[in-house]
């Protein structure tokens, strides 16, 4: 009997000793492995680091629900660690943390660039409060205190396809926003993150153009091209394209300046630039100038460019198709029909032949 007691004492000491040294000395797999999800929209990168538990492991293979049971509704009262009412850690083990590379808005509310602890209060089957805390280094939510909150937003949890492993994802992406979601079991918790991308990009471009990208014609051309595409700060776009042309005249910067002037209604100022660009243009570029002119209702000038392209490239099926489109837009249907039929004799690619056939059918039906 005495020997049995000694052996039990020895086993107990051995287990405690093994536990106390295991974390420091031995690397073993976590029940809920650490995971990382990141998504960029515009020039804003959002990264979430979290513990990813499985439903069955989290339940301990017991029956029952995740939401409202394993993850309780409301705040949870604890009498250890921080000894307070705590939210859910939005994952497992260490803090779930979220990093924003730029200033953003979360559900329309401002949040500065930086890294935050991410917590959630699951109020009920539908309503959730998402918390962004300046504390990023604690274990889970056990030392959570409300006075470290930077932002709280209210969102709605929704039904979702079953996910055994908790994960984060992003949907509804465009250049200015994305919807980030936590998915686990049969629920999903989404929150929208947006950024003023044109302003952020413009500020970044101003900074980049003070470095090596400010030399040569290409950096300021690309910067002006972006501003023109998103219709942001048109006067700055014009300044940058003028500076690009001042370094070296290229088809790209001449045609872009002409397009900017078109957008400002300065047709007469744009035309000489297009003529300069046309002299430098290859087949596709000259065709593109013709379509720019068609878009701006300058049909006679467009036809002259398409005719020039046919003269330069008499064996290219596509240039005859483009000239046919311009003739048709001008109402010169006889000449248009001739161009579409000529294009079909030059072994056109399928998309060109399909276009020719459609126009021929339309014109012959008149």
């Amino acid at each position: 009997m005495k020997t049995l007691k000694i052996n039990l004492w020895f086993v107990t000491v051995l287990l405690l000793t093994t536990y106390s040294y295991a974390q420091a000395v031995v690397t073993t797999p976590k029940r809920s492995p650490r995971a990382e999800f990141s998504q960029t929209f515009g020039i804003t990168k959002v990264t979430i680091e979290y513990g990813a538990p499985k439903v069955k492991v989290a339940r301990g293979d017991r029956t029952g629900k995740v939401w409202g049971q394993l993850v309780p509704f409301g705040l949870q009262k604890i009498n250890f660690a921080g000894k307070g009412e705590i939210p859910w850690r939005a994952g497992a083990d260490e803090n779930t943390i979220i990093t924003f590379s730029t200033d953003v808005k979360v559900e329309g509310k401002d949040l500065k660039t930086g890294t935050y602890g991410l917590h959630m209060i699951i109020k009920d089957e539908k309503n959730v409060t998402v918390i962004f805390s300046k504390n990023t280094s604690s274990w889970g939510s056990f030392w959570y205190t409300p006075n470290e909150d930077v932002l709280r937003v209210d969102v709605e949890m929704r039904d979702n396809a079953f996910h055994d492993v908790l994960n984060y994802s992003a949907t509804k992406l465009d250049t200015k926003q994305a919807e980030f979601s936590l998915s686990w079991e049969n629920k999903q918790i989404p929150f929208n993150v947006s950024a003023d991308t044109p302003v952020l990009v413009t500020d970044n471009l101003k900074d980049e153009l003070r470095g090596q990208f400010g030399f040569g014609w290409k950096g300021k051309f690309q910067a002006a091209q972006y501003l023109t595409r998103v219709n942001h700060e048109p006067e700055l776009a014009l300044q940058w394209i003028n500076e690009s042309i001042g370094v070296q005249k290229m088809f790209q910067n001449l045609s872009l300046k002409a397009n900017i002037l078109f957008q400002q209604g300065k047709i007469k100022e744009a035309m000489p630039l297009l003529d300069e660009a046309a002299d430098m243009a290859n087949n596709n570029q000259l065709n593109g100038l013709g379509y720019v002119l068609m878009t701006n209702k300058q049909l006679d000038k467009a036809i002259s460019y398409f005719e020039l392209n046919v003269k330069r490239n008499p064996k290219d099926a596509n240039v005859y198709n483009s000239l046919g489109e311009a003739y048709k837009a001008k109402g010169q249907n006889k000449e248009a029909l001739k161009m579409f039929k000529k294009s079909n004799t030059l072994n056109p690619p399928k998309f060109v032949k399909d276009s020719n056939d459609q126009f021929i059918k339309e014109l012959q039906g008149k």
Side-chain angles (χ1 to χ4, degrees):
M1 191 69 177
K2 182 176 181 180
T3 302
L4 179 59
K5 288 182 179 180
I6 291 173
N7 287 340
L8 288 174
W9 174 84
F10 176 77
V11 169
T12 302
V13 171
L14 179 61
L15 288 172
L16 290 173
T17 304
T18 302
Y19 177 80
S20 65
Y21 282 99
Q23 291 180 328
V25 178
V26 178
T27 301
T28 57
K30 291 189 174 186
R31 287 164 62 87
S32 299
R34 291 300 284 180
E36 181 177 304
F37 172 77
S38 109
Q39 178 64 58
T40 299
F41 63 91
I43 61 170
T44 299
K45 183 177 182 179
V46 181
T47 303
I48 305 172
E49 299 173 54
Y50 61 100
K54 286 187 174 182
V55 170
K56 288 185 178 180
V57 173
R59 289 174 177 164
D61 291 331
R62 296 186 298 271
T63 59
K65 294 168 44 178
V66 166
W67 306 105
Q69 294 184 20
L70 178 65
V71 178
F73 291 146
L75 294 168
Q76 181 182 6
K77 177 70 176 177
I78 60 169
N79 293 312
F80 61 95
K83 296 182 179 179
E85 291 188 325
I86 65 169
W88 179 46
R89 69 189 79 182
D93 300 332
E94 301 97 324
N95 255 167
T96 297
I97 59 175
I98 185 167
T99 300
F100 303 97
S101 67
T102 71
D103 293 350
V104 297
K105 288 181 182 292
V106 181
E107 293 293 322
K109 296 182 179 180
D110 291 329
L111 189 60
K112 291 290 186 182
T113 179
T115 299
Y116 301 91
L118 183 64
H119 309 271
M120 297 181 180
I121 302 173
I122 313 301
K123 295 180 176 179
D124 52 42
E125 291 278 359
K126 184 176 181 181
N127 299 292
V128 178
T129 297
V130 183
I131 302 169
F132 300 86
S133 169
K134 62 184 177 182
N135 184 343
T136 62
S137 59
S138 295
W139 183 270
S141 298
F142 295 122
W143 277 268
Y144 167 83
T145 56
N147 61 10
E148 292 177 322
D149 288 358
V150 178
L151 177 67
R152 287 187 173 203
V153 295
D154 292 322
V155 299
E156 291 188 358
M157 184 158 57
R158 61 196 178 201
D159 293 336
N160 193 35
F162 181 83
H163 283 70
D164 184 35
V165 179
L166 184 151
N167 72 83
Y168 284 85
S169 61
T171 55
K172 300 183 181 178
L173 286 164
D174 60 35
T175 59
K176 295 183 179 181
Q177 64 181 348
E179 182 184 80
F180 290 83
S181 298
L182 179 154
S183 298
W184 198 25
E185 200 193 43
N186 58 353
K187 294 290 184 179
Q188 188 174 67
I189 302 170
F191 55 94
N192 181 266
V193 180
S194 60
D196 195 343
T197 298
V199 171
L200 291 170
V201 172
T202 302
D203 289 344
N204 188 61
L205 288 171
K206 289 176 182 177
D207 186 56
E208 287 186 331
L209 291 175
R210 296 172 65 184
Q212 62 177 332
F213 299 118
F215 299 97
W217 68 273
K218 189 173 289 186
K220 290 183 178 178
F221 159 73
Q222 291 179 343
Q225 186 180 47
Y226 171 78
L227 293 183
T228 303
R229 186 171 71 248
V230 300
N231 194 28
H232 183 66
E233 294 202 37
E235 292 306 317
L236 180 58
L238 191 58
Q239 174 191 322
W240 279 342
I241 203 62
N242 282 334
E243 291 172 1
S244 173
I245 292 170
V247 174
Q248 184 177 358
K249 286 186 177 182
M250 302 291 292
F251 168 84
Q252 290 89 337
N253 52 27
L254 289 169
S255 57
L256 178 59
K257 181 176 179 181
N259 192 39
I260 293 171
L261 292 172
F262 271 130
Q263 290 183 7
Q264 296 177 352
K266 300 175 181 177
I267 308 298
K268 290 183 179 180
E269 293 180 42
M271 288 303 187
L273 293 166
L274 287 181
D275 286 338
E276 276 193 86
D279 289 340
M280 303 177 182
N282 62 29
N283 180 334
N284 291 332
Q285 291 169 338
L286 188 54
N287 237 35
L289 290 183
Y291 283 111
V292 168
L293 287 161
M294 285 181 66
T295 300
N296 287 279
K297 304 186 186 309
Q298 303 296 312
L299 290 177
D300 289 336
K301 192 68 172 177
I303 288 171
S304 72
Y305 282 177
F306 288 133
E307 289 175 339
L308 176 61
N309 218 7
V310 166
K311 184 178 179 180
R312 288 182 183 177
N313 304 280
K315 296 183 179 180
D316 187 322
N318 189 51
V319 299
Y320 288 94
N321 172 272
S322 298
L323 179 55
E325 283 191 60
Y327 281 148
K328 182 176 180 296
K330 187 75 186 296
Q332 298 175 221
N333 292 338
K334 183 177 179 180
E335 291 86 347
L337 185 60
K338 182 179 178 181
M339 290 302 105
F340 295 134
K341 288 182 176 181
K342 174 65 176 178
S343 177
N344 270 349
T345 69
L346 297 172
N347 191 28
K350 185 178 185 303
F351 77 95
V352 174
K353 187 176 188 312
D354 289 347
S355 174
N356 290 332
D357 291 345
Q358 179 179 343
F359 284 126
I360 290 170
K361 181 178 180 181
E362 180 182 342
L363 290 171
Q364 287 183 334
K366 290 186 176 181

